[in-house]
């Protein structure tokens, strides 16, 4: 019988928790199969399990675990367990490393890479989104690998930055594969599965709950040598990731922001407490380049990339894509200039706006994009605060 079934069984019995001391379990029993056949007496004398957990170990068979395996085989999802050679080695340093990981994509992309996590708010200002995307691109060009959470905002900008540089990226999810969550980012997740890796500790079909994210966040930091926080308030979940990184002995970085804005309270406090401030990609990469010269090439990093490059808000300019109608006075509105980091699909959509509000179907028809490409590019425009979605699939330009 496939040895993975015992690990899945153990995960189902003990649950998924950031406080589960999996290192003690594996140290004592060796692996999940040995634990399964050890029996109640050995479970008790180990001193690891509570009476309630021992009761669950006794009362649960392998049938539910087999259904998980069948579901993964059906959908092509990979199951990674601690006795698997593809299990991310960085996670073994955690006392609460996952008993099971579910993967979709290229597991080898984690090998021999300096992994850097980039996290932050889901509703960033345009400057922060630009910084996240440019920083991610620089890390990728240097030979590093960017890890984030696959959510909107800073996460999305970070993943897109890796793609800008022609690299791969890793998204650690707070739900199981097959769960309908954050469908606005579905196209981006598909791109990551094809050009990187989707990773989750949660079994297929597991829906999102608020408690999932702190559990997930320890893996984002645990997979990474360092964690960069960009735009986080005092209660931001990104600070949980930063705290996990500190507990795990990993490096923590923060991009400083406006001291008068509550949106940057968390990041500024991190710097005050000792996190290294980030003004360019070199602030993150130079130390790793010295320690791992065979893995990093900082000659490819834009050394002039600083916060100042992105800190000045773009001026508004009058734009009309149809000069004849403009001459007649039929169309008068103002667009923001196109950010230099927009993908080609996003540019097509942005240039297709000939009035302040347009339907999604009309924009798809004008641009000739597929529904998936349109969704991904529109998420990008929303990320840059250039458009906003209204009721009835109506997109509205942010105009002056």
């Amino acid at each position: 019988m496939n040895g993975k079934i015992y690990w899945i069984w153990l995960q189902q019995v003990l649950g998924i928790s950031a406080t589960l001391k999996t290192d003690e379990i594996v140290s004592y029993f060796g692996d999940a199969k040995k634990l399964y056949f050890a029996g109640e007496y050995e479970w008790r004398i180990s001193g690891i399990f509570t009476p309630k957990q021992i009761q669950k170990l006794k009362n649960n068979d392998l049938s539910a675990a087999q259904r998980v395996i069948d579901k993964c085989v059906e959908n092509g999802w990979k199951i990674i367990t601690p006795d698997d050679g593809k299990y991310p080695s960085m996670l073994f340093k955690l006392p609460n490393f996952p008993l099971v990981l579910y993967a979709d994509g290229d597991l080898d992309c984690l090998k021999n890479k300096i992994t850097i996590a980039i996290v932050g708010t889901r509703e960033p200002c345009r400057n922060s989104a630009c910084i996240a995307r440019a920083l991610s691109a620089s890390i990728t060009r240097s030979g590093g690998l960017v890890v984030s959470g696959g959510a909107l905002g800073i996460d999305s900008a970070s993943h897109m930055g890796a793609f800008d540089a022609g690299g791969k990226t890793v998204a650690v999810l707070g739900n199981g594969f097959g769960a309908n969550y954050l469908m606005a980012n579905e196209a981006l997740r598909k791109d990551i599965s094809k050009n990187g890796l989707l990773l989750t500790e949660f079994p297929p079909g597991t829906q999102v709950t608020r408690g999932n994210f702190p559990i997930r966040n320890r893996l984002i930091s645990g997979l990474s040598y360092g964690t960069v926080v960009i735009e986080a308030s005092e209660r931001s979940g990104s600070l949980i990731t930063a705290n996990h990184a500190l507990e795990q002995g990993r490096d923590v970085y923060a991009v400083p922001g406006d001291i008068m804005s509550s949106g940057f309270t968390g990041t500024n406090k991190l710097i005050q407490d000792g996190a290294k401030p980030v003004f360019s990609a070199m602030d993150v990469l130079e130390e790793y380049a010295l320690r791992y010269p065979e893995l990093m090439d900082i000659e490819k990093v834009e050394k002039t990339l600083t916060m100042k490059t992105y800190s000045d808000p773009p001026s508004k300019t009058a734009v009309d894509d149809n000069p004849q109608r403009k001459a007649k006075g039929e169309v008068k509105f103002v667009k923001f200039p196109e950010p230099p980091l927009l993908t080609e699909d996003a540019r097509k959509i942005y240039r297709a706006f000939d009035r302040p509000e347009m339907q999604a179907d009309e924009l798809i028809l004008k641009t000739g994009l597929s529904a998936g490409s349109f969704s991904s590019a529109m998420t990008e425009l929303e990320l840059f605060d250039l458009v906003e979605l209204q009721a009835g699939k109506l997109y509205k330009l942010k105009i002056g």
Side-chain angles (χ1 to χ4, degrees):
M1 184 176 289
N2 190 330
K4 294 183 187 300
I5 195 170
Y6 300 102
W7 290 103
I8 298 171
W9 163 80
L10 185 59
Q11 183 191 59
Q12 291 178 328
V13 169
L14 300 180
I16 298 173
S17 168
T19 61
L20 188 66
K21 296 180 180 179
T22 46
D23 59 342
E24 292 185 11
I25 296 171
V26 173
S27 177
Y28 188 94
F29 290 97
D31 61 42
K33 184 176 182 179
K34 292 176 182 176
L35 186 155
Y36 181 83
F37 288 106
E40 182 179 354
Y41 176 74
E42 197 68 31
W43 299 338
R44 289 188 184 279
I45 66 171
S46 72
I48 296 173
F49 305 112
T50 65
K52 186 175 181 180
Q53 288 174 326
I54 291 173
Q55 196 63 36
K56 287 184 176 180
L57 289 169
K58 289 170 55 179
N59 294 340
N60 285 270
D61 61 20
L62 301 174
S63 58
Q66 184 60 54
R67 287 194 291 273
V68 171
I69 292 175
D70 294 343
K71 187 72 172 178
C72 289
V73 170
E74 179 185 343
N75 290 278
W77 300 323
K78 305 175 184 71
I79 301 170
I80 313 300
T81 53
D83 56 356
D84 191 317
K86 291 186 179 294
Y87 192 93
S89 59
M90 291 283 283
L91 294 182
F92 282 126
K93 300 177 182 179
L94 310 185
N96 51 8
F97 60 82
L99 293 168
V100 184
L101 289 169
Y102 302 91
D104 187 9
D106 180 14
L107 278 161
D108 290 333
C109 74
L110 282 164
K111 288 185 176 179
N112 299 318
K113 288 289 186 180
I114 300 301
T115 41
I116 303 295
I118 302 179
V119 296
T121 179
R122 296 188 178 202
E123 298 179 351
C125 68
R126 191 181 318 169
N127 297 336
S128 294
C130 286
I131 291 170
R133 190 162 181 171
L135 178 61
S136 175
S138 289
I139 290 170
T140 303
R141 273 190 284 270
S142 76
L145 180 71
V146 171
V147 179
S148 197
L152 296 173
I154 295 299
D155 286 11
S156 291
S158 303
H159 295 307
M160 290 174 183
F163 291 150
D164 290 341
K168 297 185 177 184
T169 182
V170 176
V172 185
L173 308 181
N175 57 275
F177 296 143
N180 292 327
Y181 172 70
L182 195 60
M183 299 310 290
N185 254 17
E186 183 180 21
L188 176 61
R189 290 194 296 271
K190 286 182 178 179
D191 286 343
I192 295 172
S193 70
K194 294 175 183 176
N195 299 284
L197 177 64
L198 295 177
L199 207 59
T200 180
E201 187 176 5
F202 298 96
T206 303
Q207 297 295 327
V208 167
T209 67
R210 185 179 293 274
N212 288 9
F213 293 109
I215 297 172
R216 181 277 306 266
N217 290 350
R218 87 188 194 287
L219 300 187
I220 293 177
S221 59
L223 285 166
S224 309
Y225 286 79
T227 294
V228 183
V229 183
I230 302 176
E231 192 174 339
S233 65
E234 199 165 8
R235 292 190 166 189
S236 171
S238 303
L239 299 189
I240 296 176
T241 310
N243 288 333
H244 281 312
L246 290 171
E247 292 168 358
Q248 295 159 356
R250 310 297 164 83
D251 301 321
V252 176
Y253 306 85
V255 176
D258 184 355
I259 62 172
M260 301 300 290
S261 170
S262 61
F264 293 93
T265 306
T267 43
N268 291 338
K269 180 74 163 52
L270 282 175
I271 293 170
Q272 189 178 40
D273 291 342
K276 183 177 180 180
V278 176
F279 296 95
S280 75
M282 291 299 292
D283 292 325
V284 177
L285 297 174
E286 56 188 353
E287 182 178 346
Y288 303 114
L290 290 172
R291 288 158 54 187
Y292 309 99
E294 71 283 4
L295 299 179
M296 304 292 291
D297 183 5
I298 57 175
E299 293 301 317
K300 296 180 180 180
V301 176
E302 296 87 343
K303 298 178 178 60
T304 57
L305 178 63
T306 63
M307 281 188 60
K308 190 175 187 304
T309 310
Y310 297 94
S311 60
D312 298 328
S315 58
K316 298 177 182 180
T317 55
V319 175
D320 188 333
D321 295 331
N322 190 319
Q324 291 181 337
R325 286 189 298 190
K326 183 181 176 184
K328 296 178 182 179
E330 294 177 0
V331 178
K332 289 183 180 179
F333 64 94
V334 175
K335 283 184 186 177
F336 286 112
E338 295 175 8
L341 298 174
L342 282 183
T343 61
E344 188 57 37
D345 285 350
R347 289 184 191 280
K348 285 182 182 179
I349 296 173
Y350 196 53
R351 292 170 183 174
F353 276 93
D354 54 16
R355 57 186 186 278
E357 296 181 354
M358 295 184 68
Q359 291 287 340
D361 291 345
E362 184 179 6
L363 289 166
I364 290 174
L365 186 63
K366 288 190 69 173
T367 58
L369 296 173
S370 67
S373 297
F374 175 82
S375 177
S376 179
M378 192 56 82
T379 298
E380 183 180 351
L381 292 174
E382 290 180 274
L383 176 69
F384 277 95
D385 200 29
L386 296 174
V387 300
E388 60 182 344
L389 178 61
Q390 308 287 302
K393 295 185 178 180
L394 181 70
Y395 284 94
K396 180 180 179 182
L397 277 176
K398 296 288 188 74
I399 59 176

